[in-house]
Amino acid sequence: MRYADRMSRVGPSAIRDLLRHGADPAIISFGGGYPDPALFPTDDLRAVYDELLAGDPSALQYCPSNGLSSLREHVARRLARDGIACGADDVLIIQGAQQGLDLAGKLVLNPGDTVVTENPTFLGALIAFNPLEPTYAPVRTDDDGMDPADLERVLAESPRARLLYTVPDFQNPTGVTMSLERRRALIDLANRYDLLVVEDTPYRALRYDGEALPTLKSLDTEGRVLHLGSFSKILAPGMRLGWAVASPEILDKLTLLKLAADTQCGTLNMAAVSLYLDRYDIDAHIASVRAVYRDKRDLMLKTLADAFPDTTRFTTPTGGLFTWLTFPEGFDTTAFMRDTALPKARVTYVPGASFFAGEPEHNHARLNFSGLSEEKIVDGLTRLGAHLA
């Protein structure tokens, strides 16, 4: 079989074979980005689905490609409270924020065009963009997010830059949050260099400390920010629902791309989320989720400080689901997991090299704190720390 050239850029993650062992109950896995399933509002969702299936069968019918109007109205109202001026017609319902990355890449990228990313960046974004055969231009990133001076340097050296991808709130994998000053600088540079800015915000509602900063979309002056969000981390990921908000021109083209890809999101799930938002207080639900995750974050950071060598550094995220570990130069977290963490400590994590769009750095790891019980967080990190001493 003769495959398209793009298939050379599509393949399994280098860490897949290591992480598949996480299904073994004897292994404690910090590898996934999973919410805690004990927090899913299952009783409320069961009632919602029962009501839909007992009544009008329209919830099982086709609907417009941009999504149910009732759900788009809910999303628009929530975003307006967050400073994004939009109505239902400015919202496209998508299959989780991940589909938004796929559609955004198809919208602006030709083979050889450049995607500008944080360094490191979300592995799922690289998976989405890779089939479009881009090049990547990583930008130095620190505790305040993308460095504007380095971003300007990168853009000046990247004449084919078309798309800038960022997770400004509680970034995956590092957990850091972009400062307000840098958000404004990013918008100015995007305007100057004519970029589509993809703002990915799956964790934005999961803030544990401090005050929310404005979204990039709310700072957008030229209609070039594509804002992506998701119900996966605040309701349930298996429903596969998210949203995209953009200027009318961009949104129209994204809707055509979605029509070509899958026609629409599942009507039943869209109707269920819309009815849930009618019947129940999602803000109260999110507040309860935040309280649990805040405690888990604090426990993970305390255990890391107690159980790991002083030479190990880790970020202190003010929200989201992850912390980012940095080991001394020369330490290889992939080799350590293969040779020690998995067979001896019976613990897995995500080695950091996979998150770099350019030259990989091997002395990092991403740890998730949301998906495990407090007991497993302590047990797993203590086991791991014992092999690092």
Side-chain angles (χ1 to χ4, degrees):
M1 180 64 67
R2 288 176 291 179
Y3 297 105
D5 291 344
R6 73 180 63 89
M7 290 307 297
S8 66
R9 303 286 296 271
V10 179
S13 165
I15 60 173
R16 184 182 66 174
D17 288 342
L18 293 172
L19 293 181
R20 66 182 172 84
H21 297 287
D24 183 340
I27 293 174
I28 295 176
S29 176
F30 296 100
Y34 292 0
D36 185 340
L39 300 176
F40 297 158
T42 52
D43 290 341
D44 297 342
L45 290 173
R46 183 183 300 110
V48 161
Y49 279 105
D50 285 347
E51 182 174 343
L52 288 169
L53 292 173
D56 185 348
S58 63
L60 298 174
Q61 186 57 277
Y62 288 115
C63 78
S65 292
N66 61 347
L68 286 180
S69 60
S70 61
L71 181 56
R72 290 186 285 111
E73 288 167 2
H74 273 298
V75 170
R77 285 196 293 269
R78 293 189 62 78
L79 292 179
R81 288 167 42 194
D82 198 18
I84 298 177
C86 66
D89 289 343
D90 302 306
V91 177
L92 170 66
I93 302 300
I94 53 179
Q95 304 272 9
Q98 184 70 21
Q99 185 178 44
L101 303 179
D102 174 71
L103 299 180
K106 290 175 179 175
L107 181 69
V108 298
L109 294 176
N110 290 313
D113 284 344
T114 300
V115 176
V116 179
T117 71
E118 289 146 335
N119 196 40
T121 191
F122 173 44
L123 175 60
L126 302 180
I127 292 171
F129 299 142
N130 279 343
L132 302 168
E133 304 174 80
T135 61
Y136 292 100
V139 176
R140 183 171 59 245
T141 303
D142 59 26
D143 288 346
D144 289 319
M146 263 190 191
D147 179 346
D150 197 50
L151 174 58
E152 186 166 12
R153 175 193 65 79
V154 164
L155 291 174
E157 296 173 356
S158 305
R160 294 190 64 177
R162 298 291 181 269
L163 185 155
L164 188 156
Y165 172 72
T166 178
V167 184
D169 298 296
F170 326 123
Q171 194 240 15
N172 184 352
T174 63
V176 304
T177 294
M178 187 182 298
S179 68
L180 178 56
E181 179 182 4
R182 292 190 177 186
R183 291 173 193 236
R184 290 177 170 147
L186 184 153
I187 294 296
D188 289 343
L189 288 166
N191 290 345
R192 193 189 316 171
Y193 285 91
D194 190 22
L195 302 175
L196 173 69
V197 176
V198 178
E199 178 186 28
D200 196 4
T201 68
Y203 318 107
R204 181 168 172 83
L206 301 179
R207 172 174 282 278
Y208 314 131
D209 305 305
E211 298 296 324
L213 295 174
T215 62
L216 294 175
K217 185 61 183 169
S218 70
L219 302 173
D220 187 9
T221 57
E222 295 187 0
R224 61 178 63 255
V225 175
L226 169 58
H227 176 91
L228 302 177
S230 175
F231 288 103
S232 292
K233 304 303 189 291
I234 61 174
L235 197 54
M239 302 179 85
R240 302 310 306 135
L241 289 176
W243 60 84
V245 174
S247 68
E249 178 184 352
I250 290 174
L251 204 70
D252 285 348
K253 295 184 184 301
L254 289 175
T255 303
L256 292 174
L257 288 168
K258 180 170 174 60
L259 175 64
D262 64 5
T263 306
Q264 61 162 93
C265 293
T267 309
L268 180 60
N269 281 349
M270 286 191 286
V273 173
S274 181
L275 188 56
Y276 174 88
L277 295 172
D278 285 338
R279 297 279 191 269
Y280 301 99
D281 185 350
I282 193 173
D283 292 315
H285 170 67
I286 293 171
S288 66
V289 169
R290 280 200 302 260
V292 173
Y293 290 170
R294 181 187 295 112
D295 288 345
K296 290 187 177 186
R297 178 207 59 179
D298 292 346
L299 180 63
M300 172 169 278
L301 299 181
K302 180 183 184 303
T303 309
L304 284 169
D306 292 343
F308 277 45
D310 292 341
T311 53
T312 306
R313 292 183 289 113
F314 48 89
T315 57
T316 302
T318 54
L321 307 182
F322 308 105
T323 187
W324 179 249
L325 273 60
T326 300
F327 296 90
E329 291 288 338
F331 188 90
D332 187 327
T333 56
T334 302
F336 180 77
M337 190 164 85
R338 181 191 63 232
D339 299 335
T340 304
L342 183 57
K344 298 177 182 177
R346 309 296 282 166
V347 171
T348 64
Y349 49 80
V350 184
S354 299
F355 296 98
F356 290 87
E359 187 68 27
E361 297 179 14
H362 297 277
N363 61 319
H364 305 279
R366 190 194 74 179
L367 299 184
N368 165 262
F369 52 79
S370 61
L372 292 173
S373 68
E374 293 189 352
E375 293 76 14
K376 286 191 174 181
I377 289 173
V378 173
D379 186 19
L381 294 180
T382 302
R383 288 192 219 170
L384 205 52
H387 289 276
L388 289 165

